[in-house]
Amino acid sequence: MSLVENWRDVLKKAWSVRLIALAAILSGIEAVLPMFETSFPKGVFAAASAFVTAGALLARVIAQKD
């Protein structure tokens, strides 16, 4: 396995990378939120994370400019 030649640009510009980072943040919120707030409906951030991850999958296979 080897990195693509312009991997730094990919990390900065690719929507799939941005969406994966957002999914990670949402998953982290889902894990930490019960420690501070119990009135928030369970599973909302997990569902949002799943939705964003699905978007990342689509963004990964769709051609992006630059």
Side-chain angles (χ1 to χ4, degrees), residues 29-40:
I29 291 171
E30 179 75 17
V32 174
L33 191 63
M35 296 177 199
F36 301 104
E37 179 73 33
T38 57
S39 64
F40 209 86

Side-chain angles (χ1 to χ4, degrees):
M1 177 176 23
S2 61
L3 296 174
V4 292
E5 193 172 307
N6 61 339
W7 64 271
R8 287 187 179 122
D9 288 334
V10 171
L11 285 178
K12 291 177 187 175
K13 297 178 182 177
W15 277 102
S16 58
V17 174
R18 294 174 185 174
L19 291 171
I20 290 168
L22 178 59
I25 291 168
L26 290 171
S27 294
I29 291 171
E30 179 75 17
V32 174
L33 191 63
M35 296 177 199
F36 301 104
E37 179 73 33
T38 57
S39 64
F40 209 86
K42 267 188 155 180
V44 171
F45 287 101
S49 177
F51 181 74
V52 171
T53 302
L57 176 64
L58 287 174
R60 183 67 185 117
V61 297
I62 295 173
Q64 300 174 31
K65 292 182 180 181
D66 300 325

